[in-house]
Amino acid sequence: MPMLPTIEEEAKLSWIRLMWKYRLQFQSMASASIVFVGCGMRLAWSIFDTPAGKFLNNHNTHNLMMSWFIGAAVGALLAALFVQRVTKNVAYTSSGFLMIIAGILNVVLPQHFLAACYSSVSVGAAYGLTQIQALVTGSEVAHKSIRGMLLSCEKIFLWLGVCMQVFYTRVWHNLRPLDTQGYEMHIDQLHGMVLAGLGLGAVILALAHRLESPLLLLHQERDMAVGETLKALHGQSTTELVRLREDCRQLHSARDWERFVEEPEESVADWRVWARRILPFFKVLLLRCFATLAVSLSYNRAFVVVSWHGLECDMNCMYWLAFAGLIGSVLGAFVVDWQGRRKVCSLSLFLAGVVIVMVGGVFDHLESVKRSFYDINLLVIALLMLLFEVIVAGGVAVPALVYTAEAFSIAHKARCLAGILIVEQLLQLGLLLATFEHYITVSVFFFTIGVFSFIVGLTVFMFMPETRQLTLYECLLKFKKVP
């Protein structure tokens, strides 16, 4: 008697096959990724490849280093006004043109202070616009199994831009050590040409990719377009498309946040109502602010001092730190959908706290006994600082970014994301001022990061939900609960 056929479960797809299956979802982030590369280059130009020698006035240099963060805050504020109301290409093409303008300013006026400031503000504004739009659109088009990897493109390509800037700066100075040798092109002109090229590429990719967020189409009552978009993004399976369409309608029905979070019998004055409104914002903000510390000027300058003596670099060693951030972001992109957000983030925070306290102890010893950096082997400390960068970039910054896109309803997501990004930039500006005025010693800074790391790690472990393999609606239900 012949055996009856059996139904086999579909084998789990490899990362390569998964990325190919959902390639159109990754293509939706292509324009944003190009913008992030340019923003990373300008960020590196500001605080990694410190422009201290480009202008004789320290006051001018400080203003120049702050302008990128000011621009990012302005861009986030602008994004809150129109993101989720118009097509994603408005933000992406605007960011591309801002980068083109910044590049032209660098090419035409490479050594002019005001041109450099306006250029940095323009690129920062492009970053603010693009990050808000990318997190909103990326979370809405991504399949739940790859949402973390898709959203982590922001961190990966930002760090890629930082690596490109510090690497070609090093190559330029090795091949052309002096600007006075008669070479016609200034290094900042090359920087401007790359920025303008990336901006043009971002505009072209934005116009070439026409697929919109299904939730935006549903809000515009374009039902046929919703079905076609879901079919293009997720494949041809009828059952899967029906489920995805129902998920979109379910999430869209929760646009009224008041109706979504409040039970009929609950009073408006009930503390649970207000906690449900503000706790997700502050939990995500706390996590994002910690990730900000690892790319601050204070941390970068401490690494420069350590690396000169520990790694024995012949010039700026920031390319090591940039590559550590890139490697950590890539590892985090693969881990965040495999092991989840909360477990990876809490373990990374505790491990990062241990590492940074050890580094702070060494700096405290050097400061207390008034010994110079030549009196101690700092190779291990430099390696620990690189390890800290890898851990934070992959285990904290990537989950924090994913949590940011999952924690808020679509009615308020753009405004909440803009608020978080603005506070992030204000923190960076505060750290810049503290570094300029020497308000805080390196050891106190590292000990503060260590204590903050343990506090945030405990907060994530106890109060943050696990959102791996959940739809956006299910993520909202998780964040709705007050611990």
Side-chain angles (χ1 to χ4, degrees):
M1 181 177 177
M3 296 181 63
L4 296 176
T6 58
I7 300 175
E8 296 183 1
E9 292 186 4
E10 184 180 355
K12 186 177 180 181
L13 297 177
S14 64
W15 288 114
I16 300 297
R17 290 180 177 272
L18 199 64
M19 294 172 68
W20 175 254
K21 180 180 179 181
Y22 298 118
R23 59 190 179 278
L24 287 181
Q25 299 178 19
F26 285 95
Q27 287 179 19
S28 68
M29 294 286 286
S31 179
S33 299
I34 295 295
V35 173
F36 291 140
V37 172
C39 295
M41 291 182 62
R42 194 64 184 189
L43 178 64
W45 188 88
S46 299
I47 67 170
F48 281 77
D49 178 27
T50 307
K54 300 176 182 178
F55 299 96
L56 298 178
N57 191 324
N58 285 335
H59 182 69
N60 286 350
T61 300
H62 294 169
N63 291 338
L64 186 62
M65 298 172 73
M66 296 168 65
S67 56
W68 190 94
F69 302 104
I70 295 173
V74 172
L77 187 61
L78 293 175
L81 300 177
F82 64 84
V83 171
Q84 293 185 294
R85 294 177 174 84
V86 296
T87 172
K88 61 180 175 60
N89 287 343
V90 172
Y92 292 161
T93 54
S94 299
S95 299
F97 284 120
L98 285 171
M99 289 178 57
I100 292 174
I101 293 172
I104 292 174
L105 287 174
N106 269 94
V107 172
V108 176
L109 301 168
Q111 294 180 296
H112 195 276
F113 171 71
L114 288 180
C117 277
Y118 288 140
S119 178
S120 293
V121 170
S122 296
V123 178
Y127 175 74
L129 285 171
T130 304
Q131 191 195 87
I132 304 302
Q133 184 66 70
L135 290 181
V136 170
T137 303
S139 62
E140 293 174 355
V141 304
H143 190 268
K144 62 182 181 181
S145 62
I146 62 161
R147 189 189 305 123
M149 180 186 293
L150 185 69
L151 295 175
S152 63
C153 289
E154 189 267 350
K155 294 300 178 186
I156 293 174
F157 285 96
L158 188 72
W159 277 111
L160 179 61
V162 174
C163 290
M164 288 174 56
Q165 176 67 30
V166 296
F167 178 74
Y168 91 72
T169 300
R170 179 179 176 85
V171 171
W172 178 280
H173 286 295
N174 283 340
L175 297 179
R176 300 182 177 187
L178 296 176
D179 291 332
T180 58
Q181 290 184 344
Y183 298 107
E184 296 181 358
M185 181 177 292
H186 190 273
I187 184 172
D188 289 343
Q189 289 179 309
L190 178 61
H191 175 80
M193 293 170 61
V194 176
L195 280 183
L198 290 173
L200 181 61
V203 173
I204 294 173
L205 288 174
L207 297 177
H209 192 276
R210 310 293 295 181
L211 291 178
E212 289 291 341
S213 164
L215 289 173
L216 177 64
L217 299 175
L218 194 61
H219 179 59
Q220 296 172 346
E221 299 181 354
R222 298 165 60 186
D223 291 339
M224 292 186 62
V226 171
E228 292 299 322
T229 300
L230 289 174
K231 185 183 297 184
L233 290 172
H234 298 276
Q236 304 292 329
S237 173
T238 305
T239 305
E240 180 75 2
L241 290 177
V242 171
R243 187 186 63 79
L244 290 170
R245 181 186 285 270
E246 182 58 31
D247 289 341
C248 289
R249 292 190 180 279
Q250 196 175 36
L251 184 61
H252 185 266
S253 66
R255 288 186 65 87
D256 187 354
W257 183 250
E258 301 291 335
R259 176 168 52 85
F260 178 68
V261 298
E262 293 178 12
E263 300 296 335
E265 64 273 10
E266 285 182 338
S267 169
V268 177
D270 193 338
W271 68 272
R272 295 184 185 86
V273 176
W274 295 102
R276 287 168 181 168
R277 294 174 185 172
I278 63 175
L279 274 182
F281 179 85
F282 283 108
K283 288 189 292 187
V284 173
L285 178 62
L286 187 68
L287 198 54
R288 287 280 296 264
C289 286
F290 179 84
T292 301
L293 298 175
V295 293
S296 63
L297 180 64
S298 303
Y299 190 85
N300 293 347
R301 285 192 172 179
F303 179 78
V304 167
V305 174
V306 170
S307 60
W308 271 339
H309 307 295
L311 299 177
E312 298 181 355
C313 297
D314 56 347
M315 58 177 295
N316 194 332
C317 288
M318 293 305 296
Y319 59 89
W320 285 106
L321 198 65
F323 286 131
L326 177 61
I327 293 171
S329 298
V330 172
L331 293 177
F334 285 99
V335 171
V336 72
D337 287 318
W338 173 39
Q339 293 294 329
R341 288 79 155 124
R342 183 174 63 180
K343 180 170 66 174
V344 171
C345 192
S346 56
L347 288 176
S348 298
L349 283 164
F350 287 122
L351 182 58
V354 173
V355 172
I356 205 65
V357 167
M358 293 170 61
V359 176
V362 173
F363 274 93
D364 181 65
H365 172 70
L366 292 174
E367 292 167 358
S368 61
V369 300
K370 307 295 184 182
R371 297 177 67 185
S372 69
F373 290 103
Y374 291 103
D375 297 329
I376 187 171
N377 185 1
L378 295 179
L379 174 61
V380 176
I381 304 304
L383 295 178
L384 285 175
M385 293 186 72
L386 291 174
L387 177 62
F388 176 82
E389 190 68 45
V390 172
I391 293 171
V392 174
V396 181
V398 169
L401 192 73
V402 178
Y403 271 136
T404 306
E406 296 173 338
F408 310 108
S409 73
I410 59 175
H412 301 284
K413 180 178 288 187
R415 291 191 292 271
C416 291
L417 267 58
I420 289 173
L421 187 57
I422 289 172
V423 174
E424 238 182 0
Q425 307 317 308
L426 293 176
L427 175 61
Q428 284 281 20
L429 292 172
L431 291 172
L432 284 174
L433 290 175
T435 304
F436 296 155
E437 303 298 332
H438 304 285
Y439 287 144
I440 186 172
T441 62
V442 176
S443 60
V444 172
F445 176 70
F446 284 154
F447 284 138
T448 303
I449 295 179
V451 174
F452 193 32
S453 178
F454 294 126
I455 294 174
V456 177
L458 188 62
T459 302
V460 171
F461 180 76
M462 295 182 63
F463 302 124
M464 292 295 278
E466 178 54 68
T467 58
R468 180 174 65 95
Q469 301 291 335
L470 297 181
T471 64
L472 286 180
Y473 183 78
E474 293 168 337
C475 293
L476 285 178
L477 293 178
K478 288 276 190 178
F479 276 100
K480 171 187 173 182
K481 298 177 181 177
V482 180

